Amino acid sequence: MILVLGATGKIGRSLVPALLDAGAEVRALTRDPSRARIDPRAQVVRGDLDDTASLPRLLDGVERVFVLTSGHGSDGAAQEAALATAAAKAGAAHLVKLSTTGVYFGQTDPISTGHARAERAIREAGPAWTILRPGAFMDNRRGWLQSIRAVGAVYGPEGDPASALVHVRDIAAVATLVLTTSGHEGATYELTGGEALTAEQQVAILGEALGRPVRYIEEPHDAARARMLAQGWPAAAVDGSFELKRQSAGNEDVVFDTVARLLGRPPLTFADWAREQRA
Ligand SMILES: NC(=O)c1ccc[n+]([C@@H]2O[C@H](COP(=O)([O-])OP(=O)(O)OC[C@H]3O[C@@H](n4cnc5c(N)ncnc54)[C@H](OP(=O)(O)O)[C@@H]3O)[C@@H](O)[C@H]2O)c1
């Protein structure tokens, strides 16, 4: 049995069916099963990682765990440390942690340092481990779709760097491989797409997929911050994401060949992703 954390999230939505298709038994975690749309072949469990007393129940009979905590809100590193300890106690054999390339690059923004702490907890817990460190997700660009629909334009923060965005299905495919085959214990994999694209190039690709031009408008930092706060982002998450952006600016264009090496095919492209967003 594989316990999947973040089963309703960007990666989890692809990972759960991929694991089931590979023949695995899956226990999918969500805080609210009534709202979650999870593949019916999975065993859905209600649980909150902040409720550490519930961990033995969630981990009962589990052999491997896909460890993903949310990048904002609760303290992900504390959740992962508690989870790792409980998983070791429950006899789990293998923990596969979703981290970030920010750790590879030694970034000191709050998201990267939280993942660095969590990686240590996972490595030291006892069970075998594998660390997956993706760069920025193509799915982050879903934040653009509303303004494209409303005004045919994308607003991006000044100086947004070229980025080797990765498709979440590729992350899920690597996670599936690591969780269902042996030989990845003790490995750390950086995961990106196959090419770095500037925001303008990404917008042009989206325009092509939609069949109409989309404008790209650079926003000064203060205006971007105000817009995100007005959209309901917590201030700490907004500032943490700007700090991450500032620190990752020189790193986001680095392309790793890990996806192609592990999967034996090229990574999905931003054009693939753009076509999937057309509707
Ligand atoms: N976005 C990027 O570009 C990027 C790049 C590199 C790494 N990452 C990392 O990827 C991870 C996922 O981030 P994301 O933004 O894509 O989030 P996400 O996976 O789309 O959503 C968060 C997931 O966490 C679950 N969750 C949240 N709080 C929980 C709790 N207290 N107990 C149990 N489950 C909880 C949610 O499930 P329910 O709501 O169903 O409970 C949801 O499935 C983060 O660690 C982030 O740092 C992101």
Side-chain angles (χ1 to χ4, degrees):
M1 175 72 79
I2 301 173
L3 172 64
V4 176
L5 311 186
T8 60
K10 298 184 193 80
I11 298 169
R13 277 195 292 269
S14 295
L15 177 59
V16 169
L19 288 171
L20 291 161
D21 288 345
E25 280 186 294
V26 174
R27 182 174 295 165
L29 178 70
T30 175
R31 288 167 297 174
D32 186 357
S34 70
R35 283 184 35 202
R37 284 202 309 236
I38 298 177
D39 192 309
R41 295 172 293 167
Q43 180 191 106
V44 177
V45 281
R46 178 197 298 273
D48 189 318
L49 293 170
D50 287 326
D51 173 15
T52 50
S54 70
L55 293 174
R57 168 180 65 84
L58 302 177
L59 288 158
D60 185 37
V62 165
E63 198 185 341
R64 295 177 182 216
V65 187
F66 179 68
V67 182
L68 178 148
T69 53
S70 171
H72 43 81
S74 330
D75 182 346
Q79 290 174 334
E80 292 186 43
L83 184 279
T85 305
K89 226 179 243 169
H94 190 185
L95 308 177
V96 177
K97 169 176 166 46
L98 196 284
S99 179
T100 168
T101 47
V103 181
Y104 173 87
F105 290 115
Q107 291 172 205
T108 57
D109 62 88
I111 294 174
S112 301
T113 52
H115 277 302
R117 268 171 49 219
E119 282 192 13
R120 277 196 295 279
I122 297 289
R123 287 195 174 96
E124 289 166 7
W129 52 266
T130 308
I131 309 289
L132 307 183
R133 290 175 175 165
F137 302 171
M138 293 176 188
D139 260 17
N140 295 349
R141 297 317 194 199
R142 289 188 66 84
W144 286 353
L145 299 182
Q146 201 187 347
S147 74
I148 291 180
R149 195 178 291 134
V151 293
V154 160
Y155 296 87
E158 244 170 6
D160 218 11
S163 184
L165 298 172
V166 61
H167 198 305
V168 288
R169 272 214 309 285
D170 280 344
I171 305 173
V174 169
T176 300
L177 181 77
V178 166
L179 284 160
T180 58
T181 61
S182 59
H184 303 284
E185 295 81 357
T188 301
Y189 295 131
E190 283 74 30
L191 307 174
T192 64
E195 60 178 343
L197 297 169
T198 63
E200 285 92 337
Q201 289 171 319
Q202 295 164 37
V203 169
I205 291 169
L206 272 168
E208 239 164 72
L210 292 169
R212 62 189 161 93
V214 178
R215 284 174 304 135
Y216 181 67
I217 301 166
E218 270 203 346
E219 260 184 329
H221 174 275
D222 288 350
R225 185 172 188 278
R227 184 176 48 77
M228 288 168 83
L229 290 173
Q231 285 171 349
W233 282 60
V238 174
D239 293 334
S241 80
F242 277 117
E243 181 57 17
L244 182 145
K245 271 276 166 217
R246 203 181 61 72
Q247 293 205 21
S248 68
N251 305 328
E252 280 204 33
D253 62 345
V254 177
V255 172
F256 293 89
D257 67 357
T258 331
V259 168
R261 215 160 23 86
L262 291 172
L263 300 181
R265 58 154 176 86
L268 296 167
T269 65
F270 194 71
D272 293 328
W273 183 87
R275 277 190 295 275
E276 291 163 13
Q277 311 308 313
R278 203 154 31 195

